[in-house]
Amino acid sequence: MISVLGISGSLRAGSFNTALLRACSELTPDGMSLEITDAVRAIPLFDGDLFAAGFPEPVVALRAAIARADALLIATPEYNYSVPGGLKNALDWCSRGPDQPFAGKPAAILGASPGMSGTMRAQTHLRDIAVFLDLRLLNRPEVILPRCADRFEGGVLKDVPTRQLLADLLVALRDHVGQLRADRTPRTP
């Protein structure tokens, strides 16, 4: 069983990106489970003085959830051509310390926006951040949903082609995790 932690970069109650993660939880393939966290909203702004005093409890909890997960699924909106500050802040906090939980972790990203370009720029920036975090990102399929409001009804993803794209992403993530596990398994002669 592959356990996936879904992290939404949006704090909005009616977030399309959180709704994407909820749709993913309905579409997980055999052999996969998805837990969605809303921990991003509880994490204080990164402050070196706070860090010197130790990780705040919400950071401890998110770091532990990341460490437990076999893979991450990060849904990001796009704010001012980049990732939202709350998501970046959570990643900054969780990356601190010698035992940061991202190193070598498989991950996939996705995003939805009511705008024309979807979340292309935010996902590009998130990929840059993932390099530093040492995440093993899945490259395809890309899930960049522009004009996403038309795909939802009452906060539920109803658009059939989009649901299929999410299902394809989840299968690819499952296979990505399996391949990375196989690559790490020592071969006996």
Side-chain angles (χ1 to χ4, degrees), residues 30-187:
D30 290 341
M32 178 183 277
S33 66
L34 174 63
E35 171 194 352
I36 302 169
T37 180
D38 65 350
V40 169
R41 75 174 37 259
I43 294 177
L45 289 176
F46 182 79
D47 175 335
D49 294 335
L50 282 178
F51 177 64
F55 289 115
E57 183 51 40
V59 175
V60 170
L62 183 56
R63 285 172 54 94
I66 292 167
R68 277 192 312 273
D70 295 312
L72 303 177
L73 183 61
I74 304 172
T76 185
E78 182 168 304
Y79 295 173
N80 299 321
Y81 287 7
S82 192
V83 297
L87 176 59
K88 178 68 166 67
N89 181 59
L91 297 174
D92 288 345
W93 265 111
C94 291
S95 69
R96 297 298 192 256
D99 58 343
Q100 68 98 341
F102 297 113
K105 179 111 18 209
I109 59 178
L110 67 162
S113 171
M116 287 289 294
S117 65
T119 57
M120 288 187 298
R121 292 176 187 101
Q123 287 194 36
T124 297
H125 287 177
L126 187 52
R127 286 180 182 281
D128 289 343
I129 294 165
V131 170
F132 178 81
L133 298 177
D134 195 25
L135 288 172
R136 301 296 187 251
L137 279 184
L138 175 68
N139 291 319
R140 295 205 189 317
E142 290 184 303
V143 179
I144 299 170
L145 303 176
R147 295 184 173 173
C148 66
D150 298 339
R151 302 169 199 248
F152 292 86
E153 290 178 24
V156 176
L157 180 64
K158 296 293 186 175
D159 184 67
V160 173
T162 302
R163 291 181 68 82
Q164 184 59 55
L165 181 59
L166 294 180
D168 293 346
L169 174 72
L170 293 166
V171 168
L173 180 59
R174 181 193 63 192
D175 295 347
H176 180 58
V177 172
Q179 184 61 53
L180 290 171
R181 284 179 176 171
D183 290 348
R184 287 188 211 131
T185 304
R187 293 180 175 85

Side-chain angles (χ1 to χ4, degrees), residues 14-35:
S15 164
F16 293 118
N17 287 281
T18 303
L20 279 180
L21 290 176
R22 285 194 306 270
C24 285
S25 70
E26 299 167 6
L27 299 167
T28 55
D30 290 341
M32 178 183 277
S33 66
L34 174 63
E35 171 194 352

